[in-house]
Amino acid sequence: MKQGITRRESVRMALAAASLSALPALAADEVIVPFTDLPANFNPTPAPDRRALDTRKIDGPYTPKDQFFTTQHYGHPVVDPETFSLKITGLVDHPRSFTLPELKKLRTLEVPVGFECSGNRRPTQGLSGNGKWTGVPLKTVLDLAGVKSQAREFVFFGADHAEEDVDFRGAISKVDQQFGRSLPREKALSPEPLLAWALNGEPLTRHQGSPLRLVVPGWYAVANVKWLAGIHVQEDAYLGKFQARWYRTLRGEMIGGETRWVETAITRMQLKSFVARVTKDANGYKVLGVALNDGTPLQSVEVKVDGGPWQPAKLDPATSAKYSWKLFTYHWTGAAPGEHTIVSRVTDITGKVQPTLEDLANKKTFLEDNSQHPRKVMLA
Ligand SMILES: Nc1nc2c(c(=O)[nH]1)N[C@H]1C(S)=C(S)[C@@H](COP(=O)(O)O)O[C@H]1N2
Ligand SMILES: [Mo]
C-alpha cells in the first residue's frame, strides 16, 4: 500500500497534513480571550452521560473522539462487536444479517461529516463536532438485500431501549421501546448515508455507537442512529416517539396571506455559524468560528463587531469537503479596550442568509435554532 504512493502524492499529503494543523491551533504567543457572556464557573458538560464540546478548545478540522459530543435518550448500551450482526427485515427480497467483517469486505469509504444535535444552541453551541467517518454506503447493503418496489420507509433501530409510557388520549400503555428513526426511500437509497464503524480512523467508542452507526451527511444528528441493530423496510410511515413526536419544529408561516402553524420533521441542518473563540497574539485579535449546513456550498461568512459593518471572514481550506463543518477565521484589528460584541453570519450560494433571533420569532419550539449568536468579550 505504502509502496504505491508516488512522490507527488506524498508531497501533497504532507502539505495537506501541514494545512490540517496549521490554521486553528494556538500559536506559541496566542492566548484565549475569555467570553464575558459565560459565567466564570461555566461547566460545558450538561449531564453525566452527556458530553458537550468545549468549542473554545477547537484546534483542528476534526474533533478528537474523547472530545466529540455525546448525547442520547436511553444511555449507552454495550454491544459486543464479535457477536454483532445487522439485521435487515421487511420489504426486501433477501432478509438477511451482516456481521461486522462482512460489512467491512464491502465498499469502504472515508468521508468528513460534521453535525450538530438539533437542540444545539446558546450559550456555547457545544453539541456539534466534525469527524472523518469510515463505513460502507447504506445503499450498497440495501442493494444486496434487494429493496422491493413498494418500500417507502426505512426504519433504523438502535440496540438501546427503555420502558416508556405511551399516552393515547390520556390512557397510558407501558411498552419497552427501542430508539428508532426513519428515512424516506429517496434518502435511504441515495449514495450518501453511511453505515460507519470508525471515527477519525479508530473504531467507534461506546459513546459514539459502537460497533456500527448510521451517518446521514447534511442532516441533524438525531438521524445518525447509534448502536445500529436493525433496518426494517416498510410501506407505512414510521411514527415512533423520536420520529413523530420528540423531533418536531412548530413554525408560523405566511401562507396565502395568513399565518398557518406548520409542524415539520427534523431533517436537513439549517444554515448556521457561530463564534467559537477569540484569541490575542502580537498582531492583534483573531476570531475562530464554525459554520454548519446541509452541504449546500457557502457564499460567505462575515463577522461584525459592535455596530460596525459586516466584514468577510476567511474559510479554512482544510474543511472544504462538502459535508465537513467549515472553520473560519477573522483578524480583528484596531480593537479598543473595553467590552465588545462579536457575531458571525453565513450565506449560502442560493442567497440564503443565517437568520437573526428576531427572524425566528415565529418558531415556537426550541429545536433548529440557527440564529446568529452574538458573543461578548472584554479587552484589556
Ligand atoms: N441509538 C440511538 N442513536 C442516537 C440517539 C439515541 O438516543 N439512540 N440520539 C441521537 C441524537 S438526538 C443525537 S444528537 C446524536 C448524538 O450523536 P453523538 O453522541 O455521537 O454525538 O445521536 C443520535 N443517535
Ligand atoms: Mo440530538
Side-chain angles (χ1 to χ4, degrees):
M1 165 76 197
K2 280 252 151 52
Q3 290 157 346
I5 296 176
T6 63
R7 205 189 108 73
R8 188 195 285 161
E9 271 172 332
S10 68
V11 168
R12 186 187 56 72
M13 281 159 56
L15 285 174
S19 76
L20 285 185
S21 56
L23 196 63
L26 283 186
D29 65 338
E30 200 178 358
V31 292
I32 295 205
V33 179
F35 288 118
T36 50
D37 55 39
L38 286 179
N41 61 352
F42 178 75
N43 175 8
T45 302
D49 70 334
R50 309 254 154 100
R51 178 173 59 214
L53 173 66
D54 187 341
T55 51
R56 296 166 296 187
K57 297 194 175 136
I58 294 172
D59 68 353
Y62 297 109
T63 311
K65 65 173 184 191
D66 58 345
Q67 289 180 40
F68 212 99
F69 82 96
T70 179
T71 181
Q72 55 284 309
H73 296 279
Y74 296 149
H76 299 110
V78 180
V79 182
D80 181 358
E82 297 292 320
T83 56
F84 166 85
S85 77
L86 173 70
K87 288 171 198 62
I88 304 189
T89 54
L91 296 174
V92 289
D93 295 329
H94 319 287
R96 54 170 293 183
S97 298
F98 292 88
T99 64
L100 210 51
E102 284 169 341
L103 291 171
K104 289 183 178 176
K105 273 194 229 118
L106 304 172
R107 207 173 142 227
T108 298
L109 293 183
E110 206 182 52
V111 215
V113 179
F115 55 74
E116 64 170 347
C117 173
S118 52
N120 191 33
R121 58 194 192 278
R122 304 162 194 219
T124 63
Q125 309 280 356
L127 299 180
S128 57
N130 196 47
K132 207 187 301 160
W133 304 91
T134 309
V136 53
L138 170 64
K139 183 179 183 337
T140 303
V141 173
L142 290 175
D143 284 348
L144 286 172
V147 172
K148 291 190 190 286
S149 60
Q150 69 270 37
R152 305 287 345 141
E153 185 93 336
F154 294 68
V155 193
F156 300 84
F157 288 107
D160 48 336
H161 58 100
E163 185 165 276
E164 289 270 11
D165 289 345
V166 177
D167 175 293
F168 186 72
R169 305 187 186 187
I172 308 286
S173 304
K174 286 204 179 293
V175 294
D176 188 72
Q177 181 168 290
Q178 263 179 296
F179 180 86
R181 289 280 307 179
S182 68
L183 292 177
R185 181 183 178 107
E186 310 70 65
K187 193 69 197 175
L189 292 179
S190 72
E192 288 163 343
L194 201 67
L195 299 175
W197 53 80
L199 168 63
N200 301 337
E202 289 179 72
L204 296 182
T205 64
R206 186 173 153 209
H207 285 198
Q208 290 143 8
S210 168
L212 191 74
R213 83 180 299 173
L214 178 63
V215 174
V216 184
W219 282 40
Y220 280 111
V222 67
N224 300 333
V225 177
K226 304 195 275 188
W227 311 287
L228 187 63
I231 304 175
H232 186 72
V233 183
Q234 61 189 50
E235 191 168 358
D236 294 337
Y238 171 70
L239 299 178
K241 170 176 175 176
F242 299 110
Q243 184 70 26
R245 297 189 289 286
W246 271 45
Y247 288 91
R248 285 289 181 208
T249 292
L250 174 65
R251 273 195 200 84
E253 286 180 13
M254 285 304 280
I255 298 174
E258 4 174 330
T259 304
R260 291 238 189 103
W261 291 97
V262 181
E263 270 188 276
T264 52
I266 300 299
T267 60
R268 296 186 306 278
M269 280 188 280
Q270 305 278 356
L271 183 63
K272 173 188 271 193
S273 74
F274 59 86
V275 168
R277 73 165 193 236
V278 178
T279 54
K280 180 184 169 37
D281 67 13
N283 302 316
Y285 293 91
K286 191 164 92 181
V287 177
L288 171 77
V290 173
L292 282 158
N293 77 337
D294 61 3
T296 306
L298 302 184
Q299 178 77 55
S300 65
V301 179
E302 298 159 294
V303 169
K304 183 167 78 168
V305 178
D306 303 323
W310 287 105
Q311 304 276 358
K314 187 172 166 294
L315 286 164
D316 180 350
T319 56
S320 61
K322 182 170 184 189
Y323 293 108
S324 173
W325 72 7
K326 311 291 185 292
L327 298 182
F328 65 87
T329 51
Y330 170 72
H331 281 275
W332 180 10
T333 51
E339 190 167 56
H340 295 279
T341 300
I342 184 150
V343 64
S344 66
R345 76 170 179 194
V346 55
T347 303
D348 74 17
I349 56 155
T350 72
K352 189 187 278 179
V353 183
Q354 182 182 2
T356 62
L357 195 57
E358 296 70 48
D359 293 335
L360 296 184
N362 270 349
K363 186 168 72 65
K364 297 298 178 194
T365 45
F366 70 85
L367 301 181
E368 300 190 83
D369 179 355
N370 65 325
S371 59
Q372 295 172 25
H373 177 179
R375 307 293 317 254
K376 284 190 186 332
V377 284
M378 177 71 81
L379 305 187

